[in-house]
Amino acid sequence: MLEIFFLKLKNTLINNSRIFIVVLGIAVILSSSWAYEAYTQDVYEEQEELISSYTQHGKYTYTAPVTEKNPLYSKGSRLEMGKPMYFFAASPTLEVSLAYNLNATDSAFLRVECETVVVATSEENSGGSQEIIWKKEFPVEEMGYANIGNKDVLIHDFSVNVSEIRSKVIGIQDQLKYSSDTTIEIVTHVNYKGEINGEEINNTTDFALPLVINPAYYKMPEKLEFNENNYTYEKIIVKKEPSVSSIKLPLSLFLLSTILVGALIPCTKMNNVDPELIRRLKKEEKYSSVKEFVSKGKVPDNWSSLIQVEIYSLHDLVDAAVDMNERVVNDIESGVYFIIHDNILYVFLDVPSKESEDEN
């Protein structure tokens, strides 16, 4: 079947090769023109360009003065940072310092105001998320201000009576008759207003320091340093550099058309496959299921004196031969299949139809 298909395809290519070459030649010209146009055409895109940036830096330091008599520390001494816990019985008060500075890419002239509060928040798990039940702020340090420039450091000092904060939180829980986990944070609001990198700025940044408070002691977090980056972008239109990816389709079409033209040129000098060969191959394929019942031979000279019975298909003739215990004989020159039984000639004339000839 494949052999016949390829032979027919070969004849089609040979008969129409010049037409195909002309069509593909036009495709070569159009695709090359398309590729050139796509590669040389100016293409623009929108991009974001960083025009200014600044970084705010905040770092907490603290000490816990020993103000109460206790069996561990001398009264009047100071407990430095890094201890696993601080006992209310020895150091109920925490002295904290926040060092704040702003680093701009160009310049900064700011009025900075700092205000510190302790924020107690009671939350409860609801549907897989935390829901705030109540929230309370306790003022610690009133707002103070200073003028700073680029990279100048502002020191903001304050003290927190942690024992007093704990008592206030317990008092709220007792009055509400509702006890739940409560988180406590020291939050410093840094309000800065002025000019950064030539632009007017008025903004606020919060630096939060969480506390872990237990009945007998409190803990300070390990992370005491914070950075916040601020970027200002401007949208600009830029010209894109030519890219091979922009001509993938026309270039592929150009290469494919060129290859096909090169493959078709030899077809213009080839001869067609003999239609008789194709017809014979089709015939062999058609009768392949009964070929074991057919022998090659020649119609006898006295065939006209025999009684003739015409059979309309080779398969019917083979069935008759099997019933009569005879073999089918094929006269290749005349295309006749026949059997002779009791002086009767059973014949099938394998004459190709007009449609079959046209198909070949």
Side-chain angles (χ1 to χ4, degrees), residues 160-177:
V160 179
N161 191 321
V162 184
S163 178
E164 183 181 314
I165 295 298
R166 177 177 176 273
S167 299
K168 289 180 179 180
V169 171
I170 293 174
I172 292 174
Q173 292 175 339
D174 291 343
Q175 290 182 34
L176 296 176
K177 294 182 172 55

Side-chain angles (χ1 to χ4, degrees), residues 170-266:
I170 293 174
I172 292 174
Q173 292 175 339
D174 291 343
Q175 290 182 34
L176 296 176
K177 294 182 172 55
Y178 178 84
S179 178
S180 64
D181 293 336
T182 303
T183 60
I184 298 176
E185 292 180 315
I186 299 173
V187 180
T188 299
H189 305 299
V190 178
N191 304 314
Y192 55 99
K193 180 179 180 181
E195 188 177 280
I196 300 177
N197 298 324
E199 294 185 10
E200 292 295 325
I201 298 292
N202 187 0
N203 211 340
T204 300
T205 300
D206 294 337
F207 295 95
L209 191 65
L211 292 176
V212 177
I213 298 179
N214 285 281
Y217 61 86
Y218 58 93
K219 292 182 177 182
M220 298 297 291
E222 294 182 0
K223 184 179 179 182
L224 302 172
E225 196 166 352
F226 308 91
N227 290 308
E228 182 174 299
N229 297 313
N230 301 82
Y231 302 100
T232 302
Y233 293 92
E234 182 181 60
K235 290 185 177 180
I236 59 174
I237 303 299
V238 297
K239 181 180 178 180
K240 292 180 65 175
E241 292 295 326
S243 172
V244 176
S245 61
S246 64
I247 60 171
K248 280 184 179 179
L249 182 57
L251 184 60
S252 300
L253 182 59
F254 171 80
L255 293 175
L256 178 61
S257 300
T258 303
I259 292 172
L260 291 177
V261 167
L264 285 172
I265 289 177

Side-chain angles (χ1 to χ4, degrees), residues 53-76:
S53 67
Y54 63 91
T55 300
Q56 296 178 84
H57 178 74
K59 182 177 182 181
Y60 282 106
T61 56
Y62 63 88
T63 59
V66 180
T67 58
E68 306 294 333
K69 288 184 179 182
N70 65 90
L72 297 178
Y73 311 111
S74 302
K75 187 177 179 179

Side-chain angles (χ1 to χ4, degrees), residues 25-36:
I26 295 173
V28 168
I29 296 172
L30 293 177
S31 59
S32 60
S33 176
W34 181 11
Y36 175 80

